[in-house]
Amino acid sequence: MSAPTSTASGAPATVGVLGGGRMGAGIAHAFLLSGSHVTVVERDADSADAAARRIGDSIRRSAERDPDVSADELASRLRLDTDPAAFAGIELVIEAVPEDRALKEEALARVESAVDDGAVLATNTSSISIDALATHRRAPGRFIGLHFFNPVPSSALVEIVQGTATDPSVVDAARGWVDALGKTPIVVSDSPGFASSRLGVMLGLEAIRMLEDGVATAADIDMAMTLGYRHPMGPLRTTDIVGLDVRLGIAEELAAELGERFEPPALLRRMVADGLLGRKSGEGFYVWNEEER
């Protein structure tokens, strides 16, 4: 693989993101801060406008916190579009659509039809097998998992997931890109749930079962982990931030791969069915005010 050109920080000079929701917007923002020119593609004009506002708000907050950050300069390197053809000539394209295997397959095929032969294609999946997604890729050696965490701006970790066919040079390049973002990379081999989701979801599911069984309140279950085990945040609050629908999707994927120990609790299914998705809906295991959302 020929080495992509880089910014002064070591990030790719050009980055594409498919999907401008909370995760996609956060990923775009991170690369803008590292000097990349970023193209975000959304499904329609309304979604693209919403993504532009979302990223614009993040840019403004960065400029308010750091006088060395120019909101205008960052905004000048951002492009929004609705056609994957906008990814032509871009060195790294990251798929950041919801955690649904069929949706990701369709999204990756759309991206792959538009990118140049030398581009690296990455997925932000938190649980779906990289090898499974690579099966239909025309260049599986240039396909990799880049699992960012929510919220992207304040998360220090990026999980790099290498598939069986992933070229080692792509893994090395990905390490450098993550370093350029000021985040810490870990490299894991493709396996169900990778490292982070497999452990995090197991803890979250057990916390939900404890709440379902009346063991303690959500706040007290979380406090057991924050004060007792020095976790920065409890598993139920974390689930609210991740999104109950996202956690349910990951749990279902892991249950299919690893068995009933990852079977989602009935309480989680009921809350998702009722639209209680956590921070993004305003209520989950906690109530979130507008400023927190």
Side-chain angles (χ1 to χ4, degrees):
M1 185 197 75
S2 59
T5 56
S6 301
T7 67
S9 69
T14 54
V15 174
V17 181
L18 183 69
R22 185 183 294 274
M23 287 302 300
I27 293 168
H29 176 224
F31 278 102
L32 287 168
L33 287 174
S34 295
S36 302
H37 285 75
V38 178
T39 297
V40 177
V41 172
E42 261 291 2
R43 63 183 179 273
D44 53 42
D46 288 344
S47 299
D49 288 343
R53 289 192 297 272
R54 198 173 288 121
I55 300 168
D57 288 343
S58 294
I59 288 172
R60 283 189 290 275
R61 286 194 293 270
S62 292
E64 289 168 0
R65 289 192 298 266
D66 185 349
D68 293 331
V69 173
S70 166
D72 290 341
E73 195 278 326
L74 263 62
S76 73
R77 290 189 275 103
L78 174 65
R79 174 185 177 187
L80 274 296
D81 211 304
T82 58
D83 187 349
F87 291 142
I90 289 178
E91 300 153 30
L92 167 66
V93 179
I94 303 168
E95 164 274 306
V97 303
E99 192 73 357
D100 177 272
R101 187 188 294 256
L103 183 61
K104 286 189 180 291
E105 287 281 9
E106 186 271 336
L108 290 166
R110 288 169 57 214
V111 172
E112 199 168 47
S113 69
V115 298
D116 294 355
D117 288 343
V120 172
L121 181 57
T123 174
N124 184 51
T125 182
S126 52
S127 64
I128 300 172
S129 167
I130 300 303
D131 283 347
L133 293 175
T135 300
H136 303 295
R137 305 284 66 80
R138 73 179 185 219
R142 293 195 300 275
F143 180 63
I144 196 168
L146 289 178
H147 177 203
F148 289 80
F149 291 78
N150 185 25
V152 176
S154 60
S155 295
L157 179 70
V158 177
E159 192 173 33
I160 298 171
V161 188
Q162 57 184 351
T164 303
T166 306
D167 191 306
S169 67
V170 173
V171 178
D172 290 341
R175 286 181 186 269
W177 299 333
V178 174
D179 286 338
L181 298 179
K183 301 183 184 297
T184 300
I186 62 170
V187 178
V188 302
S189 297
D190 185 36
S191 60
F194 317 135
S196 58
S197 293
R198 188 164 172 175
L199 290 171
V201 169
M202 176 59 76
L203 179 60
L205 294 178
E206 190 59 30
I208 295 169
R209 292 188 189 100
M210 291 170 64
L211 183 64
E212 191 174 46
D213 292 344
V215 173
T217 65
D220 284 350
I221 290 169
D222 278 353
M223 198 173 298
M225 301 311 296
T226 57
L227 299 184
Y229 288 86
R230 298 187 179 181
H231 287 202
M233 189 182 303
L236 296 173
R237 183 170 289 272
T238 298
T239 298
D240 265 13
I241 291 174
V242 169
L244 276 71
D245 53 337
V246 174
R247 183 134 285 182
L248 174 59
I250 296 171
E252 289 176 333
E253 185 78 22
L254 292 177
E257 294 285 342
L258 297 174
E260 64 180 15
R261 68 185 187 274
F262 284 98
E263 180 62 31
L267 175 60
L268 178 59
R269 293 190 184 278
R270 285 199 305 273
M271 292 178 72
V272 171
D274 290 342
L276 302 176
L277 307 182
R279 182 173 68 174
K280 61 186 171 186
S281 70
E283 185 176 355
F285 297 108
Y286 296 87
V287 175
W288 300 81
N289 61 44
E290 195 64 35
E291 290 183 358
E292 292 173 319
R293 294 170 62 187

